[in-house]
Amino acid sequence: MPAPDFAVGLGLGSNLGDSPANIRRALAEIERRGVARVTALSRIYRTPPWGPVAQPPFANACALARTRLAALDLLAALKAIEAEMGRAAGERWGPRLIDLDILFHGAGALDLPGLHLPHRHLFERAFVLIPLAEIAPDLRIGGRGVAQAAREIDASGVEIWPDSV
């Protein structure tokens, strides 16, 4: 019996160094290592930082992908890529070289220590909703439409990164 193939949503962010290049490198590593096959990729957006820490703006993007990895295995693979790219532990919601989040994994829900799917803040963050709606406007997660949520959220400061068009 073949291994299951899951549709997943990934959120990617960076605000240290060459942020767009960090996102592109992470995506290349995801593909090269066979972690997932990217099927759609948003443009890169320049977004204000989220949270209480003063820091530079972020580059953010979303990707749709297919993976044979179970959710916890996918999380471990993404964390390994972050570590190998040089992400260091730091302040929560602080600056980071690369941040790779699983937004959803298949159609199911999961609530484990360190992994809550769909991502618990997905519908609160314009830096996720805007790029996700770009590539999956008809997507519904937990009964909510991504495009509708993107239209309703305050997207102040979210703009397409120059040279990302």
Side-chain angles (χ1 to χ4, degrees), residues 26-159:
L27 286 164
E29 284 299 310
I30 288 167
E31 292 264 357
R32 186 185 70 76
R33 296 172 187 217
V35 171
R37 182 177 47 83
V38 175
T39 58
L41 178 62
S42 75
R43 292 172 288 185
I44 296 174
Y45 288 79
R46 180 182 174 99
T47 65
W50 196 83
V53 179
Q55 58 190 303
F58 271 82
N60 285 103
C62 285
L64 301 178
R66 304 291 304 185
T67 187
R68 294 195 189 297
L69 298 178
L72 286 173
D73 295 330
L74 176 59
L75 179 63
L78 296 177
K79 293 302 173 198
I81 291 169
E82 288 179 345
E84 289 173 26
M85 284 183 64
R87 178 172 175 177
E91 191 169 357
R92 183 178 174 117
W93 296 320
R96 58 205 62 198
L97 181 76
I98 191 68
D99 186 32
L100 304 173
D101 287 329
I102 304 170
L103 304 176
F104 62 89
H105 186 280
L110 193 60
D111 195 6
L112 299 171
L115 184 60
H116 182 87
L117 297 173
H119 193 288
R120 68 179 62 207
H121 298 294
L122 189 154
F123 287 100
E124 301 168 15
R125 296 175 170 175
F127 67 82
V128 173
L129 284 172
I130 302 304
L132 187 57
E134 175 188 326
I135 57 174
D138 298 328
L139 181 64
R140 296 187 70 74
I141 299 173
R144 294 184 68 186
V146 169
Q148 180 68 35
R151 285 190 296 273
E152 294 172 353
I153 198 161
D154 177 3
S156 301
V158 176
E159 57 191 38

Side-chain angles (χ1 to χ4, degrees), residues 4-23:
D5 186 41
F6 300 101
V8 296
L10 303 175
L12 304 98
S14 172
N15 73 339
L16 295 176
D18 185 342
S19 297
N22 294 337
I23 288 173

